[in-house]
Amino acid sequence: ANYVISGKIRRLERVDGPPTRSVIELELAVRRIKGEKLLLLRTYRDEVQAADSTVRATVDALNASLNKIYAKFLADLSKI
């Protein structure tokens, strides 16, 4: 491998409403192994309203947020 991806969960929570929503914030970094050069360091945040107040709906909202964050991260990766 030529690169290392690392991350920190800054925020991962259910916010009771109304409306109930999920909030996720991740700090993601990409380093080149050779020389330890930092290529990308960015914080990604997303908030999604849950379909209802159940735990299942919150999990679904968190998954939707995570998918959005991963898409943004991949778009950023394509630029380096």
Side-chain angles (χ1 to χ4, degrees), residues 31-71:
R31 292 186 194 284
R32 180 177 291 131
I33 292 175
K34 186 176 182 178
E36 290 288 317
K37 182 177 181 183
L38 181 63
L39 301 174
L40 174 69
L41 176 62
R42 183 167 174 199
T43 299
Y44 299 87
R45 183 183 186 282
D46 194 67
E47 184 171 326
V48 171
Q49 183 175 327
D52 55 46
S53 61
T54 63
V55 172
R56 177 66 188 175
T58 302
V59 170
D60 289 342
L62 285 168
N63 283 332
S65 287
L66 192 56
N67 285 334
K68 288 181 191 176
I69 287 172
Y70 285 157

Side-chain angles (χ1 to χ4, degrees), residues 13 17 23 35 56 58 60 72 75 77:
E13 66 182 298
V23 181
R56 177 66 188 175
T58 302
D60 289 342
K72 291 175 191 174
L77 277 179

